[in-house]
Amino acid sequence: MKKRILISANLYGAGGRETHLLKLCEALVDRGAEVTVACRVAARTTPLLDRAASIPVRVVSTPFAANPRWLRLSTIWALLIWSFRLRSASFDLFYTFEHSGFTRFMMRFIDPRGKIVLVRAGDLMTPADKIDKQLLLPDLFILETEMQADAVRSVCGESFPVLALPMLGHYEQQPPRRMRASSALRISFMGRFHEDKGIFRLLDIWPNLHLQNAKLCFYGHGPERDRLQKEIGSRSLTGRVLIKGGWQSREELAAIFENTDLLLLPSASEGLPTVLLEAMAHGVPFVATDVGAVRVLAQAKPDVMVVPNSNDAFLNGVQEMVARIQLGKVDGIRLQRFCERNYCFAELTHRWLDVLLNDEFPPAFGAGSAGLAGT
């Protein structure tokens, strides 16, 4: 009998969580599972939605799901209508990123013998984030790294069912990458246009870098695109700082990385960003702030830098990385090998399937490591 899986997730476009769900759904269906994705937010630019029919997965949404600003109205619709749309289902496994009253509502569609998997992709848990067991008591809580899992254990207790397992992304084996010997550097930000991602911090830092013939390109989407464009104009950065489109396919993402010499991610809040793993898989160095679990990637030095969360530290980190690139000290092939050794796509996919498709959850493999080789 096919395993029936219900995934509850809001989809905001082409982002780390959305890419993970795309890859995960493809793998689950390929192994014979029936997958339903229920979302109160469903941006049209989300690759999973574009490919749902060909995977195939069933998507349940609301008439208001395309606009995140209507989340409240979308939630009310879901509470009223989804009881009818999902009433005939009895899912074997419930996979959710959310711990709320709405999660409790969704659990009514799970078989009494079914499993509940709660996933958290973000900052380290604090006592303020402690799980209300009356709302949700998961059979398994999956975090991206052991660093995040330890934070959960410190808040919820050592016996809490926690597993460290990185999310999937576009980091299958890529063609060997070599850094260009050129003084005209192509520097990129890739991700959601939101203040927490540090997009305006980059505008503060950029004029002080004094990089000759360098351009900064923002690739992505998000609610603060218009504000970002206005800030670029008001700071007289037009021509040196550009806003580009996002990506939907693996090929589009690869093309962006092919035109990127250095990726910058000055976030104020993160977990283990998928885009950084994807950058390493494509042989692209990065400078990122030491937030969430980003520091576990610092073992890739000298090809990446993780710096303290301040403008001065980030500026110094970018200057140092640019100097390394210009001196030929950054090795894209070495970076790709690191990613393959620690975040092998095939092995991570196997682990996700092992967790979600077995009747009993496996032991907490990988304890003590974020990836596959003790990252």
Side-chain angles (χ1 to χ4, degrees):
M1 182 180 295
K2 289 187 176 182
K3 194 151 192 174
R4 307 184 73 187
I5 298 175
L6 175 63
I7 297 175
S8 177
N10 291 331
L11 307 175
Y12 293 95
R17 180 165 65 177
E18 290 83 358
T19 298
H20 165 70
L21 288 177
L22 170 66
K23 297 289 189 178
L24 184 62
C25 287
E26 289 176 338
L28 286 169
V29 172
D30 188 58
R31 285 281 293 272
E34 291 183 359
V35 180
T36 297
V37 180
C39 38
R40 290 170 291 154
V41 175
R44 296 186 180 93
T45 55
T46 303
L48 175 58
L49 300 179
D50 186 55
R51 303 181 202 175
S54 61
I55 294 176
V57 298
R58 179 191 181 195
V59 176
V60 177
S61 61
T62 81
F64 317 101
N67 192 334
R69 296 178 182 177
W70 293 351
L71 177 59
R72 182 177 178 84
L73 189 56
S74 192
T75 301
I76 293 172
W77 176 277
L79 292 171
L80 294 173
I81 304 301
W82 286 5
S83 293
F84 299 97
R85 295 200 64 185
L86 297 171
R87 69 183 185 279
S88 61
S90 183
F91 294 96
D92 302 302
L93 186 138
F94 179 41
Y95 180 108
T96 180
F97 289 91
E98 186 176 358
H99 169 228
S100 69
F102 185 78
T103 312
R104 186 70 179 175
F105 162 75
M106 294 295 292
M107 287 166 57
R108 69 177 61 188
F109 307 113
I110 310 305
D111 186 277
R113 297 165 296 179
K115 303 290 186 180
I116 300 169
V117 175
L118 177 62
V119 183
R120 180 183 172 95
D123 282 329
L124 305 184
M125 178 177 274
T126 67
D129 303 319
K130 188 173 182 179
I131 291 175
D132 183 348
K133 295 181 180 179
Q134 293 184 340
L135 272 181
L136 173 66
L137 184 58
D139 294 284
L140 185 62
F141 194 2
I142 300 181
L143 291 304
E144 298 162 289
T145 67
E146 192 64 27
M147 182 179 179
Q148 293 154 293
D150 283 341
V152 171
R153 294 186 188 103
S154 68
V155 173
C156 300
E158 289 294 326
S159 62
F160 203 76
V162 178
L163 179 66
L165 186 57
M167 293 199 297
L168 303 175
H170 291 298
Y171 34 86
E172 299 96 325
Q173 186 78 38
Q174 304 294 332
R177 167 73 174 243
R178 299 185 185 276
M179 300 305 298
R180 297 180 313 124
S182 172
S183 59
L185 285 176
R186 304 166 300 181
I187 300 177
S188 300
F189 167 92
M190 297 171 63
R192 192 162 181 251
F193 297 156
H194 192 280
E195 190 158 7
D196 284 350
K197 293 292 185 179
I199 56 175
F200 300 109
R201 169 186 282 182
L202 274 184
L203 297 186
D204 293 335
I205 294 170
W206 187 253
N208 299 320
L209 288 171
H210 305 296
L211 299 177
Q212 296 297 320
N213 301 320
K215 285 189 177 181
L216 171 63
C217 291
F218 287 86
Y219 295 93
H221 62 90
E224 299 193 76
R225 181 188 180 96
D226 291 343
R227 178 187 168 196
L228 179 62
Q229 188 68 71
K230 290 178 181 178
E231 287 288 334
I232 291 171
S234 67
R235 297 171 189 235
S236 301
L237 295 174
T238 303
R240 291 183 292 160
V241 179
L242 306 173
I243 298 180
K244 304 278 190 173
W247 64 94
Q248 286 189 280
S249 68
R250 176 185 173 187
E251 292 74 21
E252 289 172 337
L253 179 67
I256 293 173
F257 279 124
E258 184 63 28
N259 286 287
T260 297
D261 298 310
L262 176 62
L263 178 69
L264 304 183
L265 190 64
S267 300
S269 174
E270 285 290 355
L272 185 71
T274 302
V275 71
L276 297 185
L277 299 179
E278 291 170 330
M280 292 192 300
H282 289 79
V284 176
F286 64 77
V287 178
T289 42
D290 184 8
V291 294
V294 175
R295 69 177 64 177
V296 305
L297 300 177
Q299 285 189 12
K301 288 181 178 179
D303 303 311
V304 306
M305 289 192 68
V306 178
V307 301
N309 185 18
S310 74
N311 282 14
D312 287 343
F314 199 84
L315 186 148
N316 291 335
V318 174
Q319 290 176 327
E320 182 177 343
M321 183 58 75
V322 167
R324 290 181 189 176
I325 293 171
Q326 292 175 335
L327 291 172
K329 294 184 177 181
V330 173
D331 188 336
I333 295 177
R334 178 172 58 200
L335 194 53
Q336 289 179 301
R337 288 172 178 166
F338 172 88
C339 188
E340 176 65 18
R341 185 170 64 251
N342 290 273
Y343 299 94
C344 172
F345 178 81
E347 179 62 19
L348 289 178
T349 301
H350 173 76
R351 291 185 172 192
W352 275 102
L353 295 176
D354 194 31
V355 170
L356 300 181
L357 294 181
N358 287 331
D359 292 333
E360 297 296 330
F361 291 131
F365 46 69
S369 68
L372 306 178
T375 303

